[in-house]
Amino acid sequence: MFVDFLYHLRFYGLKVSSNEWLTLLEALDRGHAAESLSRFYYLARAICCRSEQDYDPFDRAFAEFFKDVSYPGSLQNDFEKWLKDAKAPRLLTEAEKAAMKAMSLDELQKMFEERLAEQKERHDGGNRWVGTGGTSPFGHGGFNPAGIRVGGEGQNRSAVQIASKRLFQNFRKDIIIDTRQIGLALKKLRFWGRDGAADELDIEGSIEATGKNAGDIQLVFRPARKNHVKLLLLMDVGGSMTYHSELCEHLFSAAHQIAHFKEFRHYYFHNCPYDFMFTDVEQDQRVLTKDILRDLDSTWMVIWVGDAAMSPYELTAVGGAIDYFQQNREPGLEWIAKMKKHFPRSVWLNPEPKEYWERASNKLVRSVFPDMYPMSLQGIEDAIKALKQQQQRGL
Amino acid sequence: MLSFKGTSSYIASAELQEIVTLAFDLQKPLLIRGEPGTGKTVLARAVSEALKLPLLTWHIKSSSKAQDGLYVYDTVQRLNDSRFGTGDVQDIKKYIKLGPLGQAFASPTRSIVLIDEIDKADIEFPNDLLHELDAMSFAIPETGETITARERPVIIITSNAEKELPDAFLRRCIFHYIAFPEADEMRTILKVHHPRVDEKLVSAALLRFYWLREQAEIRKKPSTSELVDWIGALSRAGVDVKSLEKEVPFLGVLLKKEGDIQALKQGSKRSHSSRF
């Protein structure tokens, strides 16, 4: 009978498999949930969830499977609202009107809730094994649906109630490409170099030195090998990029998490960079673009993220910036060209599918910045390959 | 069956007790996640204390390798010994140093291994440990020895969620997320740390503390350990309960980022001016 529950969890997007199922059975077999549904809740959650983001779907699945608890914001609330807003139907006889008055809104609601409860039970029938008397493995034969909702005394904080509180709602995240995959792709972006304190034994060096020393051992140390890549991430935010914000967040957190870069910085812009960019997504904290160019030398690698979708004059006109406060004295395209020249090792990731790349602004951007790649896993891998080739060509 | 009930200095919620006992009984690694300062690392110490089992800690750094947890072959020492004729170079075993996991496997009694902050390591690190965690044994090619755990150790892993862990690894673990304690639970925790502090001061401080956590401008939210320090500071300085309503003394104990302190000051100015 747990098989149903496991499939129910899968339906809610939890990646449970036979592995979890067997673990759960073993745990039950060893008497872990004992007589208690709340203990079963903790048990199943610890086994079936893999991160706190799984807690909310788990809670919903659990609540639905085990009891007809009312969710906040369920259909019932809507019905109540409809009842309050109900308009008097036309063409009623006096007798009918009198009959309607006899029933107060409260009575109506009550009746309606009863009806709703009945209906729920018929719909749900079959898979709710708590409450179906002797077949329950927990000995909860007398578990009464109404009992939970009415009797909230002391110990009786039932698992379903905990589950239906949905404490972990904020952790929900429907992942498309996950951060880990991007992280693995970004990991390929590295160039080894040695500097700093000599704390690693150089075996080859030691052998050679020992040989020269006529067999008297001489140890040679050297600095450990470290990744030399300094990465700058420039991200287009706001406007049309809002649709892609999730994907961009994944890229950002992957780049941020991956600890192997020597240095990592990021700035934001809207559509196109001009005299200044921003350190925050809300675009409150400005940084002069020329300061960025002064602080970061050409050894930095740059990944641009943007859809390059805007009106062409935002790229070509003085003062053409979409945000009036920019008042740019140089056209956006010149800024892009200037930055590409300053950072020869740079690529552009475009979250839009390639079919949309024929728009005018995109073509303009590519005229000065040809290294544009789609922001898929393959695209990111290709972009990283391109960065490495740019490095090897000694740009 | 061994069961965990918390200790005099570590308050474990009913669900945490349940889950630790479960991991213990099923002999699966327990993966603990949660905000910094919710007592993830302290949990392992508490489990070791409560169950009276030795604790072996493996602090993970960005340079940590899975191999380090099993054993390290100290070649340089052996070379040195050979050069200066000190020590018995013939006995290679002398130069095999077991790591925390290796020690736990080799130990004749059951022990607890804490793998602290696993997400600090390289992204492939957890995958490299899969086999050893499954089989609870590993080979040392240098000596031809195989070390198999006589008593499967209890493995507690903590993670700050800085990196996502691989699925294959997660599938083998019992997972628990330590939610931030609510005010009532926090009061119990505080009582353990500051048994003699005035109730009123604690209540006022808690109000201030949860208010601070709700401020959107603050990036690094103060945690339990900061609260414990803060209340200690307040009571030692003899801060008046009433003054807590107006200001936050020793703000630096709660907020560790300069930017957060600035943001809070600006925020309070803004709300101040809007009132008048």
Side-chain angles (χ1 to χ4, degrees), chain A residues 15 17 19-20 23 26-27 30 32-33 39 42-43 45-47 49-52 55 167-168 171 173 175 178-180 183-184 187 190 201 216-219 257-259, chain B residues 1 14-15 18-19 21-22 25-26 28 31 33 62 75-76 79-80 82-83 120 122-124 127 161-167 170-171 173-177 179 182 219:
Chain A
K15 288 185 240 158
S17 62
N19 197 329
E20 282 81 14
T23 312
E26 192 193 335
R30 299 179 78 97
H32 274 284
R39 289 180 66 190
Y42 292 133
L43 178 90
R45 195 180 68 180
I47 293 172
C49 293
R50 299 201 188 146
S51 91
E52 60 272 25
Y55 277 13
L167 291 169
F168 299 96
F171 291 127
K173 210 158 129 202
I175 291 173
D178 73 58
T179 315
R180 190 181 156 78
L184 283 170
K187 234 192 111 179
R190 52 185 168 192
L201 178 67
D216 199 7
I217 292 162
Q218 182 162 1
L219 297 176
Q257 282 169 9
I258 202 147
Chain B
M1 186 165 80
E15 68 181 286
E18 187 76 33
I19 284 156
T21 310
L22 173 76
D25 192 38
L26 295 182
K28 281 181 174 275
L31 173 65
R33 270 174 44 162
S62 62
T75 34
V76 175
L79 197 60
N80 248 345
S82 142
R83 183 184 181 191
K120 288 266 181 300
D122 187 80
I123 200 158
E124 291 292 359
N127 280 338
E162 277 188 16
K163 278 193 195 109
E164 281 181 36
L165 301 170
D167 243 16
L170 291 172
R171 210 181 309 133
C173 295
I174 299 286
F175 172 76
H176 182 64
Y177 177 81
E182 303 209 1
R219 294 275 165 91

